[in-house]
Amino acid sequence: MCLMVISSPIFAKCTDDLSLIEIYATRKAKEYINSSRVIAPEWEGMEIVDSKTLYDFNEQENGVVFKVQNSVSQAGYISVLNCYGELKVMEASYDGQIPFDWSYDRVYCDSPMFYFYKDNNEFISFRDGLNVGNMNDYVSTEINYEENISPYGVVIPDYGFTFYRLNSIPTGMVQPTNLTCTPTALAVLVRYLDSNGYDNLVASGVSNTSLINALKSSTYLGSDKTTISELTTGWKKYFNNKGYSVTIKSRDAELSTGSANRLKDSDLENYIVPSIQKDWPLIVMIGYWGYANSSDNIFSGPTTALHALTVYGAKVTTDGSEEILVAKDPWNGNSVELRWIVTNSSSQPYFYIYAIQYMSALS
């Protein structure tokens, strides 16, 4: 018996030609598009046009990444990954480049934002070239297909999202050099505020690169190490010099493994929603595996990789069980939507969140 499961031309084929992970992951991706387009018009008309299987660090199938496109040639991607045995959409973008070189036969991924290729038995990040070694201690998690939603259902359900978003979408920026994602994310935030009621944060005629470099000077003691406290102090210093008093609140902690590896309800209530309701973007930093060797250091050596994003929204499921960050990514300047939850109990996640608590013009 041959069942047709997907309407897109490339995927209109017999399930006999698809692996089990492709069947289930394709359904998850379609569910995500169906739900997202209700609250975000950017997803309207998106269809799956190609796919690639992703692998974990033990060469086990761990997910599928899909290229998506609409009729006006707006293109993006959706990554579906194994999360403790369940396939979940972990990362998506309606206008972003595929975050790795599609020509590679095998791509390795165990978390949103971080994709690797293998060279001499070591894993190298596509994003920034960091070598994370051979991952000999990695433990695979088997996908439990019996507990996943059946791929043969006729009706694709709606997640039921509540969408919190700024009054407008910030303009993204691309980091000018490696290790400058933090000042670039801050520059997106500053440029947005300057255009939305907080005059003089950016002088007339200042280029994005000059703004990024100014924020880098405020927040960095050197080119290879910046602590959390220096970031917060530098942020305040820049705003003070531009005539504004600002209070920054933050949550800086290494998360535990397991079900706790997600945004917490208190993050939504205390940081994300209040900031967005005031039309203030936020900064988050994400890290994964053993990249960060101290919860106090953003950059603390050549193998450290925390990545800063400018958050401008959050999608929350009706039952409150899932929160999805919506952000601008300094790697390519495009929008990205992601669940910050690591996919394997071996992983060591880090999540830092920074929000403006109070801001006013200096008297």
Side-chain angles (χ1 to χ4, degrees):
M1 178 180 179
C2 180
L3 296 176
M4 308 295 285
V5 292
I6 298 296
S7 60
S8 177
I10 287 180
F11 283 85
K13 56 183 178 180
C14 176
T15 58
D16 295 343
D17 299 327
L18 295 173
S19 68
L20 205 56
I21 196 170
E22 288 178 302
I23 294 171
Y24 281 88
T26 300
R27 179 176 176 80
K28 297 285 186 174
K30 296 284 282 185
E31 289 174 0
Y32 191 85
I33 293 171
N34 186 58
S35 297
S36 295
R37 67 189 181 191
V38 176
I39 55 174
E42 296 85 5
W43 282 97
E44 187 63 45
M46 284 294 183
E47 296 284 345
I48 294 170
V49 297
D50 204 355
S51 71
K52 180 182 285 290
T53 300
L54 299 170
Y55 295 84
D56 71 12
F57 298 118
N58 285 331
E59 305 287 347
Q60 302 299 307
E61 290 184 343
N62 200 47
V64 181
V65 62
F66 299 93
K67 289 183 179 180
V68 297
Q69 187 171 313
N70 63 17
S71 59
V72 294
S73 299
Q74 180 174 301
Y77 65 92
I78 297 175
S79 291
V80 180
L81 291 173
N82 172 18
C83 182
Y84 294 95
E86 181 183 355
L87 290 172
K88 288 178 175 285
V89 174
M90 299 292 283
E91 179 182 352
S93 176
Y94 59 79
D95 66 352
Q97 310 165 244
I98 300 295
F100 56 82
D101 187 338
W102 195 267
S103 67
Y104 274 69
D105 181 51
R106 287 213 167 192
V107 175
Y108 302 86
C109 183
D110 184 55
S111 174
M113 306 296 293
F114 297 98
Y115 300 82
F116 302 86
Y117 63 92
K118 201 170 185 179
D119 184 28
N120 292 324
N121 206 38
E122 295 184 324
F123 295 95
I124 315 296
S125 169
F126 280 101
R127 297 276 198 174
D128 46 30
L130 287 175
N131 184 333
V132 296
N134 55 32
M135 295 293 193
N136 284 337
D137 296 331
Y138 185 84
V139 179
S140 296
T141 301
E142 185 177 354
I143 299 173
N144 188 339
Y145 289 106
E146 291 184 2
E147 292 188 4
N148 276 272
I149 299 172
S150 168
Y152 304 121
V154 176
V155 178
I156 297 176
D158 190 327
Y159 280 117
F161 284 129
T162 298
F163 197 11
Y164 302 93
R165 190 158 76 174
L166 299 179
N167 292 339
S168 59
I169 298 176
T171 301
M173 300 182 193
V174 178
Q175 61 184 27
T177 58
N178 210 5
L179 301 183
T180 57
C181 62
T182 302
T184 304
L186 277 172
V188 172
L189 179 150
V190 169
R191 183 76 79 177
Y192 181 86
L193 292 175
D194 181 71
S195 300
N196 289 275
Y198 296 91
D199 299 336
N200 303 319
L201 279 174
V202 184
S204 177
V206 171
S207 68
N208 287 345
T209 300
S210 296
L211 176 58
I212 292 167
N213 287 334
L215 287 162
K216 180 177 179 179
S217 297
S218 292
T219 56
Y220 283 30
L221 288 181
S223 61
D224 62 351
K225 180 177 179 179
T226 297
T227 66
I228 298 296
S229 60
E230 288 160 2
L231 168 65
T232 306
T233 300
W235 187 345
K236 293 178 180 178
K237 176 183 174 183
Y238 180 88
F239 276 70
N240 288 165
N241 289 340
K242 297 298 181 179
Y244 290 91
S245 172
V246 63
T247 302
I248 310 299
K249 59 179 180 178
S250 63
R251 177 168 75 82
D252 314 331
E254 175 184 346
L255 302 183
S256 59
T257 55
S259 61
N261 297 343
R262 55 182 287 270
L263 282 169
K264 302 179 187 302
D265 292 339
S266 58
D267 294 333
L268 195 69
E269 297 167 3
N270 298 332
Y271 296 89
I272 296 173
V273 173
S275 293
I276 291 173
Q277 288 176 338
K278 293 176 182 176
D279 204 30
W280 294 342
L282 302 90
I283 299 295
V284 300
M285 291 185 176
I286 55 174
Y288 151 78
W289 266 96
Y291 294 175
N293 49 33
S294 166
S295 62
D296 187 46
N297 287 339
I298 300 172
F299 297 118
S300 51
T303 59
T304 299
L306 285 179
H307 185 54
L309 302 166
T310 311
V311 172
Y312 66 88
K315 297 162 69 175
V316 185
T317 53
T318 303
D319 64 3
S321 63
E322 299 279 359
E323 295 99 0
I324 298 171
L325 293 177
V326 183
K328 285 294 180 179
D329 182 3
W331 269 321
N332 55 27
N334 296 125
S335 297
V336 64
E337 303 174 10
L338 69 153
R339 288 178 167 91
W340 185 241
I341 173 171
V342 295
T343 63
N344 185 287
S345 58
S346 305
S347 303
Q348 300 171 8
Y350 295 79
F351 183 89
Y352 306 93
I353 185 167
Y354 302 87
I356 298 172
Q357 184 174 22
Y358 174 79
M359 182 173 173
S360 66
L362 292 170
S363 55

